[in-house]
């Protein structure tokens, strides 16, 4: 399993109107620090608002990103990037978020979360960043960050350790899953097989029901966390 990391920043946002914010015309992508601690429930951090049809809900209650990846982007863009700028709820340090495996579970402070999907950049993200061709550029870097489902609610504090508590037998990193969502059917077949092996994990965060019917699972031994 990967090494232990640390919670660097806990961020929330308010829903506001924006002309570049898709069909709803509202976004809560501008996340800012809420201080040293926050309660995380099934729908994410208390007081955090979710303003889109495509992000949020139980399967995408939190979005986590590595501070090291933000620093990499800062070098690429030639400007500083503050915590929360990518719309992330959790900035993590010393933890390779984008190499996390689908369905793996983390202990984050008092909370337990499950990796549900990678982030695929949308038009709202592009409008917020103000960078030409941002969605294609972001999606092509294999630094997607992680959407998380909350398995156990609890308080998360800055400085809390982040550690992997369980991994599936078949390991599919988020960086590869992003390629699958963008058109690599071989990866998507692996994702469907993973869901068959681990029925506690909900595949619909990656593949909506109308799309998952395209693939049939290849039988394997089912596995799952002991608790």
């Amino acid at each position: 399993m990967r090494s232990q990391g640390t919670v660097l920043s806990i961020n929330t946002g308010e829903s506001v109107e924006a002309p570049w914010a898709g069909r709803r015309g509202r976004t809560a992508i501008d996340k800012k620090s809420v201080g040293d601690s926050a309660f995380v429930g099934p729908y994410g951090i208390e007081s955090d608002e979710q303003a889109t049809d495509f992000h949020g809900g139980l399967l995408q209650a939190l979005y986590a990103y590595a501070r090291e990846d933000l620093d990499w982007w800062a070098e690429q863009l030639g400007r500083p990037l503050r915590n929360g700028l990518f719309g992330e709820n959790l900035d993590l340090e010393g933890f390779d978020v984008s190499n996390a495996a689908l369905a793996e579970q983390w202990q984050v402070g008092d909370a337990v979360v499950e990796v549900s999907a990678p982030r695929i950049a949308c038009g709202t993200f592009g409008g917020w960043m103000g960078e030409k061709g941002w969605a294609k550029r972001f999606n092509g870097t294999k630094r997607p960050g992680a959407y998380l489902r909350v398995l156990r609610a609890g308080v998360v504090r800055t400085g809390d350790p982040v550690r992997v508590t369980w991994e599936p037998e078949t390991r599919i990193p988020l960086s590869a899953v992003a390629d699958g969502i963008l058109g690599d059917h071989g990866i998507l077949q692996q994702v469907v097989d993973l869901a068959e092996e681990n029925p506690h994990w909900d595949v619909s965060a990656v593949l909506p029901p109308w799309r998952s019917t395209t693939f049939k699972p290849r039988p394997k031994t089912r596995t799952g966390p002991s608790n």
Side-chain angles (χ1 to χ4, degrees):
M1 291 189 181
R2 298 191 315 286
S3 61
Q4 180 174 287
T6 304
V7 177
L8 184 64
S9 184
I10 306 165
N11 316 302
T12 63
E14 296 181 358
S15 175
V16 298
E17 293 183 357
W20 37 262
R23 64 189 183 192
R24 293 185 63 180
R26 299 188 68 84
T27 177
I29 197 172
D30 185 10
K31 309 291 188 188
K32 295 178 180 176
S33 173
V34 294
D36 294 336
S37 66
F39 181 79
V40 174
Y43 287 93
I45 299 172
E46 281 188 339
S47 80
D48 186 44
E49 296 185 8
Q50 300 169 350
T52 76
D53 297 325
F54 309 107
H55 312 303
L58 290 170
L59 296 182
Q60 297 182 4
L62 297 168
Y63 177 53
Y65 207 70
R67 181 63 241 186
E68 291 82 359
D69 284 341
L70 271 181
D71 291 339
W72 183 87
W73 276 114
E75 291 182 3
Q76 301 302 306
L77 299 176
R79 58 184 171 110
L81 301 177
R82 61 169 173 80
N83 294 329
L85 186 68
F86 279 15
E88 70 272 20
N89 300 110
L90 299 174
D91 288 286
L92 307 182
E93 190 172 42
F95 193 79
D96 191 358
V97 176
S98 292
N99 193 42
L102 276 184
E104 77 176 26
Q105 296 177 11
W106 309 344
Q107 175 94 36
V108 185
D110 297 333
V112 175
V113 299
E114 178 183 71
V115 176
S116 56
R119 191 224 196 113
I120 301 297
C122 60
T124 296
F125 192 14
W128 167 244
M129 292 299 295
E131 298 281 344
K132 185 177 180 180
W134 176 252
K136 183 177 181 180
R137 187 176 180 183
F138 180 86
N139 292 338
T141 62
K142 299 187 183 298
R143 301 170 188 263
Y147 282 119
L148 306 170
R149 178 167 72 112
V150 178
L151 300 181
R152 187 179 75 200
V155 175
V156 174
R157 309 163 188 83
T158 56
D160 274 348
V162 181
R163 61 186 182 89
V164 179
T165 58
W166 181 82
E167 285 184 337
E169 183 177 333
T170 300
R171 195 177 192 285
I172 312 175
L174 291 176
S175 54
V177 179
D179 289 339
I181 294 173
L182 294 170
D184 187 332
H185 284 191
I187 295 294
L188 293 185
Q189 180 63 63
Q190 293 179 42
V191 171
V192 171
D193 293 342
L194 177 73
E196 178 70 7
E197 296 166 22
N198 302 276
H200 64 279
W201 178 72
D202 192 332
V203 71
S204 61
V206 175
L207 281 171
W210 62 267
R211 194 175 182 191
S212 61
T213 56
T214 305
F215 304 91
K216 293 182 179 180
R218 297 169 294 193
K220 289 184 179 180
T221 303
R222 291 187 172 189
T223 63
S226 57
N227 54 355

